[in-house]
C-alpha cells in the first residue's frame, strides 16, 4: 500500500544556526522585529509498505542513512495513509 | 504578547525540484525505493503582536517581503500562542 511519510529535520537544541541568524538579520533590516527564529527542513516521501508501522520504520531508516546527520540533527517521522 | 508563527514554504505545483530528485536518486542508490518525494522549508518565528490575527498578518508580510518567492513558492502561515 501507498503511504506518505512526513519527515521533519531540524537542528538539535543548542546547535548554532547561522542561516536562521542571517534571516533574522535580514528581517530586521526590513523593519520586522523577531524574538526568535529557527528553521526546519521537511521531506514528504511516498513509499510502498505493508502497513503504517513498516512505512514509519522505512522512513526512519532513510533519516538514519541519508537525510539527517545524527550528530547535529533531530528528526521526526509522521506517516499518514 | 508573544506568538510563534510556523511558516511552511514549498514549491508551487508543477515546479521542478532538482534537489528532491537528487535525494530520491541517492535514496535509490542506498536501496530505498520511493514513489514520490517533495521538500519544504519551515520557519518558526517568535514575534510580538496584539493578537493572533496581527501575528499572522505580520508573518504573512515577512513571507511576501523576504521568505518566499511568489513566482515559484506557495506558503502557509499558522500561528499558535
Amino acid at each position: 500500500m501507498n503511504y506518505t511519510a512526513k519527515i521533519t529535520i531540524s537542528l538539535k537544541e543548542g546547535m548554532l544556526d547561522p542561516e536562521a541568524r542571517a534571516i533574522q538579520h535580514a528581517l530586521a533590516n526590513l523593519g520586522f522585529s523577531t524574538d526568535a527564529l529557527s528553521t526546519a527542513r521537511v521531506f514528504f516521501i511516498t513509499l510502498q509498505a505493508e502497513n503504517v508501522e513498516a512505512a514509519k520504520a522505512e522512513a526512519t531508516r532513510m533519516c538514519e542513512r541519508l537525510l539527517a546527520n545524527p550528530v547535529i540533527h533531530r528528526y521526526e517521522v509522521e506517516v499518514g495513509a
Side-chain angles (χ1 to χ4, degrees), chain A:
Chain A
M1 216 188 123
N2 255 336
Y3 292 95
T4 296
K6 180 186 177 186
I7 298 173
T8 305
I9 295 179
S10 51
L11 285 168
K12 281 181 177 169
E13 214 61 52
M15 297 299 303
L16 290 178
D17 187 346
E19 192 192 358
R21 291 298 74 72
I23 294 167
Q24 210 171 0
H25 197 76
L27 285 170
N29 286 342
L30 291 170
F32 295 108
S33 116
T34 55
D35 291 346
L37 191 152
S38 62
T39 65
R41 186 91 229 189
V42 179
F43 301 98
F44 296 96
I45 301 182
T46 306
L47 49 90
Q48 304 280 341
E50 289 288 303
N51 50 47
V52 174
E53 288 72 31
K56 193 166 179 176
E58 181 85 342
T60 303
R61 278 192 296 274
M62 291 179 189
C63 287
E64 288 164 356
R65 292 291 306 280
L66 183 75
L67 303 175
N69 174 350
V71 178
I72 60 170
H73 292 139
R74 58 192 157 82
Y75 57 84
E76 196 188 331
V77 179
E78 298 161 73
V79 176

